[in-house]
Amino acid sequence: MKDLPTERLENQLPDKAPLYSHGEAVTEANRCIYCSDAPCVEACPTGIDIPTFIHKIATDNVKGSARTIFHDNLLGYSCSRVCPVEVLCAGSCVYNHWGRPPIEIGRLQRYATETALARDAELLKRTRKAPTGKKIACIGGGPASLAAAGHLALDGHTVHIYEKRAYAGGLNTTGVAPYKLHAHDSLKEVQMILALGDIELKTGVEIVDGEASDGQVSAQTLLGDYDAIFVGIGLGPDNFLHVEGEDGPGVVGATEYIEQLKLDPEAKLDGIRTAIVVGGGNTAIDVARELAQLGVPEVAMVYRKTEAAMSGYAHEMVGARKDGVRLVENRQPAAVVRDGDRVVGLKVRATDDGASEETIPCDLVALAIGQSRLTQLAAAFGEVELDGKGRVRVDAETNRTGNPKVYAGGDCVNGGKEVVNAAQHGKLAARAITASLGA
Ligand SMILES: Cc1cc2nc3c(=O)[nH]c(=O)nc-3n(C[C@H](O)[C@H](O)[C@H](O)COP(=O)(O)OP(=O)(O)OC[C@H]3O[C@@H](n4cnc5c(N)ncnc54)[C@H](O)[C@@H]3O)c2cc1C
Ligand code: SF4
């Protein structure tokens, strides 16, 4: 994997919730009442034993606490920073019913995983089983594949991860808001996973469904070379609006743009005074917040429905407003207005009265209206089915596709959820692969 350039815009954004000190962690841990039917555990897609890991922090057993977390979620470090805890574990903590702040589960999880790994990077390696001689390929180097690879390696298998980009980590590296997780911290987690066992990461290698050329390997070759395959390819490129004036400089796909802000040392925001983000989901909120925090003076989100109908989390929208982002509801883009090459405005049509139009002046339009699917690749393995929305169909218990040798997980299966869901899919698939190989 290439080294990350140090001069990147995302480095201007500090951690939103810095690492707890020892005293803060123990004090917060001691607030937990260790509910026996803990609703926080029920709300965690990976089922981490939350009261147990918190109790271990309270008794100063940080290594034990991290082991409890990693047992159910090998991506427990990034999840502690990126999970929407407000709607998952902490959102269901009993304290919410008593009018008190819920336990800061995410920050405690970060304390346990980050502190334990800093003290002992080989924390989990010692639990690895004897080599089985079985070889598994993971396609994609994002959270789903990393979780699968880590669990498979701990089960004693050889794992090869194929990642088409220069860096692994998937959206943790390229997409997640920097104030939650910087790319260099995501790559730290990748290294932690790679150290778990016999895992080789091949970056800059794309798996293709047809004939392979340089830097590519065909799906058929993988089928022949490996005992099992895990498909964790995520989603495809950003969708576009297909309106007049859209093609050209100044109109960007949100995820591609966020990737530039995070990784590209050449990315600059010079000359951007007003940016418009189109969309009402979490990606729209993220790019709007990032632009505002990086100093763009005017940032507005344009959404075709009302705030109540937005798929983005309410707590993120509260944060966006604090960052100075303005929300324009009930407006649908009709055209991008240019002066020569330069974007000068977005013409929008009202969706509540269906007729009136106005042009909002701007010099950047970021489109966050969903991503396409890459799943034809999975279908190329044969016997793998896609659903009507282009998602890979899997068995919910095992994450196995219709092809007994092929498993899949993460965004390519659920259409785009959270890192923690991808981690759970990877874990389920790894357990099922080990069982199917009789190892
Ligand atoms: C802008 C943005 C912000 C987000 N913020 C959060 C957040 O704060 N918290 C949260 O929990 N979730 C967040 N998510 C969602 C989360 O990032 C995803 O759910 C998660 O990363 C899915 O993991 P994955 O492994 O399925 O896919 P990805 O993370 O997309 O990884 C897939 C990997 O596969 C590679 N790949 C694709 N095709 C091939 C091929 N043919 N050959 C080789 N490699 C290939 C890709 O390059 C990529 O690295 C965010 C998503 C976006 C878009
Ligand atoms: S619900 Fe809250 S108090 Fe109860 S175990 Fe979970 S974190 Fe602790």
Side-chain angles (χ1 to χ4, degrees):
M1 208 165 32
K2 274 200 327 195
D3 282 341
L4 263 183
T6 40
E7 293 297 319
R8 290 171 294 114
L9 279 177
E10 75 155 0
N11 282 337
Q12 295 176 15
L13 303 179
D15 262 5
K16 182 183 70 164
L19 181 66
Y20 268 156
S21 67
H22 171 259
E24 284 169 328
V26 172
T27 306
E28 184 63 9
N30 274 313
R31 286 180 62 226
C32 176
I33 54 167
Y34 314 120
C35 314
S36 56
D37 55 349
C40 53
V41 179
E42 288 294 309
C44 173
T46 57
I48 294 174
D49 185 348
I50 292 167
T52 299
F53 97 68
I54 293 180
H55 187 248
K56 287 180 179 172
I57 293 175
T59 55
D60 236 352
N61 178 6
V62 176
K63 262 194 204 178
S65 176
R67 277 214 181 93
T68 301
I69 294 162
F70 290 134
H71 176 269
D72 289 304
N73 184 354
L74 280 179
L75 294 200
Y77 168 69
S78 59
C79 283
S80 74
R81 303 177 62 159
V82 308
C83 263
V85 292
E86 296 84 348
V87 295
L88 294 174
C89 53
S92 64
C93 175
V94 292
Y95 275 87
N96 292 296
H97 305 297
W98 304 335
R100 294 193 181 167
I103 304 294
E104 293 264 16
I105 301 170
R107 293 190 75 174
L108 287 173
Q109 186 167 315
R110 175 173 173 187
Y111 175 78
T113 52
E114 194 164 328
T115 311
L117 287 172
R119 285 184 197 163
D120 179 3
E122 309 226 315
L123 189 66
L124 292 174
K125 200 172 176 176
R126 287 186 292 275
T127 63
R128 185 171 32 152
K129 298 196 180 120
T132 61
K134 304 288 184 189
K135 261 174 52 181
I136 295 112
C138 293
I139 311 178
S145 282
L146 288 172
H151 285 287
L152 288 164
L154 289 174
D155 283 343
H157 309 307
T158 294
V159 186
H160 293 166
I161 302 176
Y162 291 91
E163 168 55 56
K164 69 179 177 185
R165 286 183 159 82
Y167 304 102
L171 284 160
N172 263 350
T173 304
T174 64
V176 165
Y179 44 86
K180 296 182 193 167
L181 185 71
H182 288 102
H184 53 258
D185 286 322
S186 167
L187 296 186
K188 238 194 257 171
E189 179 173 67
V190 172
Q191 294 302 347
M192 189 276 280
I193 300 273
L194 296 181
L196 291 177
D198 186 7
I199 308 178
E200 189 183 337
L201 168 65
K202 298 166 190 274
T203 50
V205 185
E206 183 179 21
I207 307 303
V208 290
D209 61 5
E211 210 172 296
S213 46
D214 254 11
Q216 297 182 329
V217 176
S218 80
Q220 291 310 314
T221 305
L222 290 193
L223 262 186
D225 288 355
Y226 291 91
D227 296 294
I229 289 159
F230 178 81
V231 182
I233 52 179
L235 302 175
D238 297 290
N239 291 335
F240 276 72
L241 288 160
H242 308 294
V243 297
E244 191 191 325
E246 183 181 48
D247 299 331
V251 178
V252 293
T255 62
E256 197 190 328
Y257 195 59
I258 291 172
E259 183 169 350
Q260 283 174 28
L261 297 180
K262 281 177 73 80
L263 300 182
D264 183 356
E266 305 296 320
K268 302 266 179 307
L269 293 171
D270 304 348
I272 301 175
R273 298 206 50 80
T274 308
I276 293 185
V277 177
V278 178
N282 287 313
T283 300
I285 301 177
D286 274 7
V287 72
R289 293 190 70 178
E290 283 163 49
L291 288 169
Q293 290 184 13
L294 285 168
V296 173
E298 292 280 334
V299 182
M301 287 171 63
V302 166
Y303 181 50
R304 67 199 154 99
K305 297 185 191 165
T306 60
E307 182 167 2
M310 279 172 61
S311 60
Y313 295 125
H315 66 268
E316 292 285 357
M317 198 57 224
V318 170
R321 284 214 167 85
K322 282 190 190 144
D323 291 333
V325 174
R326 188 165 67 91
L327 177 66
V328 182
E329 297 167 293
N330 293 316
R331 294 289 182 277
Q332 171 82 19
V336 176
V337 184
R338 290 179 184 273
D339 175 6
D341 242 8
R342 204 164 57 87
V343 169
V344 292
L346 182 70
K347 189 195 273 187
V348 293
R349 190 167 297 137
T351 50
D352 37 4
D353 69 14
S356 56
E357 283 186 350
E358 65 180 308
T359 295
I360 310 175
C362 64
D363 24 44
L364 177 82
V365 177
L367 302 174
I369 52 169
Q371 292 168 257
S372 56
R373 307 269 191 261
L374 294 171
T375 38
Q376 282 312 320
L377 171 63
F381 285 104
E383 300 168 74
V384 178
E385 277 181 45
L386 304 181
D387 71 9
K389 293 184 171 167
R391 299 172 296 199
V392 183
R393 265 192 223 273
V394 294
D395 172 78
E397 308 276 303
T398 59
N399 276 67
R400 195 160 85 166
T401 68
N403 182 331
K405 221 175 159 180
V406 181
Y407 296 71
D411 282 0
C412 68
V413 165
N414 59 32
K417 282 194 172 175
E418 313 289 346
V419 172
V420 68
N421 305 96
Q424 173 69 355
H425 281 176
K427 177 179 81 183
L428 290 179
R431 286 184 179 160
I433 290 171
T434 296
S436 79
L437 296 177

